Each structure stands twice: as C-alpha cells, then as structure tokens.
Amino acid sequence: MASSEGPAPSTTAATPAAAPTDTASSKPQQHQLPVAVVCVGMAGSGKTTFMQRINAHLHGQKEPPYVINLDPAVLNVPFESNIDIRDSVNYKEVMKQYNLGPNGGIITSLNLFATKVDQILGFLEKRTAPDPEQPNKKPIKHILVDTPGQIEVFVWSASGQIILESLASSFPTVIAYVIDTPRTASTSTFMSNMLYACSILYKTKLPMILVFNKTDVKDADFAKEWMTDYDAFQRALAEDEESNAFGGVEGEGGGSGYMSSLLNSMSLVLEEFYTHLSVVGVSSMTGEGVDDFFVAVQEKAKEFAQDYQPELERKRHERDEQKRKTREKELDKMMKGMSMDNSGGGAAGASGSGSNVVRPPTDDDDDLDVPSDDQDDDYADADDEYDREGLQARYAAAAEAQGSSTMDEASFAKYIHSQRG
C-alpha cells in the first residue's frame, strides 16, 4: 500500500489545479470502492462465527472493514459493529406492540430499519470516501453485512430486497452463502442446499460465493467434486441408494426410486448453475481458507462490474422510466378532471343557476354517469374544445346569457307598467 500511495502526491503537484479534483473524484469510484459482502446461511451453518473470522482476518491485515449487523434478535455478537439494527429497533418491544411471533418480529424490525436505508447509505458513502485532510489514511475495502439466522426472513422479504438493492446501487455487492459442510455429506441434503443457493442467486441477482464452512470437521473436497464431475455425483447417489439412505424396505437395496430420479434430474439441471458460482472451503474455527475466500470476493467484484452492474442499471432505468410515465398519466388525468370541472361550472353559470361553486359530493353522486378510463378518448375532443374556448370566453358567454335574461325581464316589467297606466 505504501508504494501505491507514494506516487500520488507527486502526480498531484505536477498537474494543474483542476486535474487532481477530477482524478480524486474518479479514483474512489473505480479503484477504491469497497466490496459489500452479505453473509447469508441457514440456522446452524456457522454464519456468525464466519463473520467473526473474516472480520478478525481483515483487522490482522490492517484493513479494518465496515461491519453492519442486521439481526435484531441476536443477544450478543462476537464482533464490533459499526451499524447495529439493535441500536435502532427494539425487537422484543416490536413483538409486544404488534403481537407477533419471532419471525414476524424480525420481519417487522427489518421493515422499520429499511425505512432508514438512505441514512445508512449516507454513512457508508461518507465513511468510504477519501478524506482530503488525511490523504495517507487507508480506505475501507470491505463492508461486511451479517443477516438474521432465519435466511428466508431476509432473502424473501421486501425489506431485505430494499437493503440489497440499495447496497448494490452504490457498491459492488457479493452474496456469501454459508453451508454446513458436515450436514451436506449426503446427496439429498447437498442437492437441497444447491437448490436453495440457486433460488437465492436468481432472487437477488447478485454474484454468489458458496462457502462450505466447518472444513475442520469434514473436508469440502467431496462437494467440489460433485459440482464439477457429474459421474462422481452419480456414484455417490448409487451408494446412497444401496445403503437405503432414501428409505424403503428394510434389507432391500434401492430405496425410494422417486428420490433417486429427482436427484438425478436436479443434478443435470444445476450443472449450468454451478458454472456461475465460486466454491470455497473455510474453517471458521481455524481460519483455514479465508485467504481463498477474499480472492473469490475480488473475482466476484470484477464480475459484478462487468455483468451485474449494467443489468442493474438497465432495470433501474426501466423503473425510473415507468415511474415517470405513471406520473405523467396521473397528471394528464388530473388536468382532464380539472378541465371537466371548469366546463361544468361554465354551463351552470350559462343557465343562470347561481354562483360557480364546486358542489361537495353527496350520496346521490353514485348515480352520476362518471366516464371510465376507457371513455377518456370520447371526452378528449370536448376537453380540447373547452381548452380552446378558454376560461374568459366561457365566463363572457355566461355573463352575456345572464345579462340578456335580465334585460328581457326588465322589458316585460316595463310593458306591464305601461298597460296599467
């Protein structure tokens, strides 16, 4: 780091005053933008211990990360959090006030916390931006996000999607899916984890790293082999059938033919899915494999910039364009409604009914023939006619009509008076 930071002052001094500003503003976006690592995993997979291990590893490398805890129900976390949801939302009070269970309390807490996501991004952008007063200060290279143990509460909730999309809109974001390796030794549980990982990948639309945790208990080489060698998984599947792992009649091999056929089909379907994943074996207890994990993080950050970010920007542009069209449509409807109200007021004045005042709605309004959205085109010509007339023309017509009726009444009264005389 010292060698990369050394040439910067000389370059700044040699260039004009405007050049360092442009270079400084573009460099953090391209080179110093930290990578957000969102850790998800099923209960018991060792996700929190994994967070502690990678946090300690980065501190040991003199590159402290920015840590966010999004689990409102945890009592204690073995790492220091820069932003903690428990400081903003009281999980137990949420359960009491809204009469919720554990999962409902977590979802509601995340929903309340997601309303402040703009402030969180403000903190992150301010903290990760280079400080002109301290040019030698090392920038933050990683943002670590710990999620609730109930994986579906975060991945499949609206608040989780808001938080992930907000992070991905500002920083390269990578999903670290933590798997309990000893409990994935059988073909059925392995395929269940792969299907869950596949659903998370296509739900979040973010690059993913499969982290096979607890390799100190069982090595993850078997999982890597099953993902890269179709025949190896078929041999393991045949062994599970022979050992009656899928149930069946005691003393007879083969087990459940339905389960074997399903796993065989799933392995064919997920073969293409495996090519988009990075697989790392890690021991949160000993720290083995953590270096390989951060190498995979950097690779996925590059993949995010090349493949995922353009797609996210395209979809964001489509959403903004859709919102703009919706606002314009609503504005057009409002203007048409105002035009029809003005025209109705002019007609009332022309008939001499009295003052041009908007009548408050009553129960009789249910019988009014209100044009629907499909009839807007039928009224378009009438609206254009009213617009061309103009407000002053309608008022002039109403005043003329009222004036002529008044003159007629005055002439009739004069005639009666002359007859009596």
Side-chain angles (χ1 to χ4, degrees), residues 69-101:
N69 175 42
L70 296 180
D71 191 353
V74 66
L75 295 178
N76 298 300
V77 289
F79 49 83
E80 210 50 49
S81 300
N82 298 96
I83 297 178
D84 198 327
I85 187 175
R86 297 175 299 171
D87 297 334
S88 304
V89 182
N90 191 324
Y91 168 69
K92 292 185 179 180
E93 288 299 323
V94 168
M95 292 178 61
K96 291 179 181 179
Q97 292 183 11
Y98 296 97
N99 194 23
L100 299 171

Side-chain angles (χ1 to χ4, degrees), residues 118-284:
D118 55 337
Q119 298 181 13
I120 299 172
L121 289 180
F123 292 146
L124 290 174
E125 292 174 355
K126 181 180 179 180
R127 182 64 182 85
T128 57
D131 191 355
E133 299 180 356
Q134 300 179 355
N136 295 328
K137 183 179 180 181
K138 285 187 177 182
I140 292 177
K141 295 185 178 181
H142 297 90
I143 301 172
L144 305 183
V145 183
D146 191 19
T147 59
Q150 291 81 353
I151 185 173
E152 67 281 356
V153 169
F154 179 79
V155 174
W156 301 104
S157 64
S159 55
Q161 183 177 359
I162 291 172
I163 294 173
L164 284 177
E165 289 184 352
S166 301
L167 275 175
S169 65
S170 301
F171 306 98
T173 305
V174 177
I175 301 294
Y177 181 55
V178 184
I179 301 174
D180 189 347
T181 305
R183 297 178 61 183
T184 317
S186 66
T187 55
S188 58
T189 54
F190 171 80
M191 190 57 62
S192 299
N193 270 289
M194 294 301 103
L195 289 175
Y196 215 117
C198 180
S199 64
I200 294 174
L201 176 66
Y202 290 105
K203 177 66 171 62
T204 60
K205 297 179 177 62
L206 294 172
M208 176 182 289
I209 302 174
L210 293 184
V211 181
F212 283 89
N213 196 16
K214 305 180 183 179
T215 55
D216 55 308
V217 178
K218 183 175 181 57
D219 196 275
D221 289 340
F222 74 94
K224 298 177 182 178
E225 185 181 11
W226 288 353
M227 295 177 66
T228 55
D229 189 350
Y230 175 79
D231 294 332
F233 182 79
Q234 292 301 312
R235 289 193 297 270
L237 185 59
E239 291 176 2
D240 286 345
E241 289 179 351
E242 293 298 327
S243 62
N244 206 22
F246 303 137
V249 181
E250 187 69 25
E252 297 182 5
S256 174
Y258 170 76
M259 178 64 73
S260 175
S261 176
L262 176 62
L263 294 178
N264 190 13
S265 301
M266 289 296 99
S267 62
L268 288 173
V269 172
L270 295 180
E271 188 173 3
E272 179 65 22
F273 164 71
Y274 295 149
T275 60
H276 299 284
L277 298 178
S278 295
V279 183
V280 179
V282 174
S283 173
S284 299

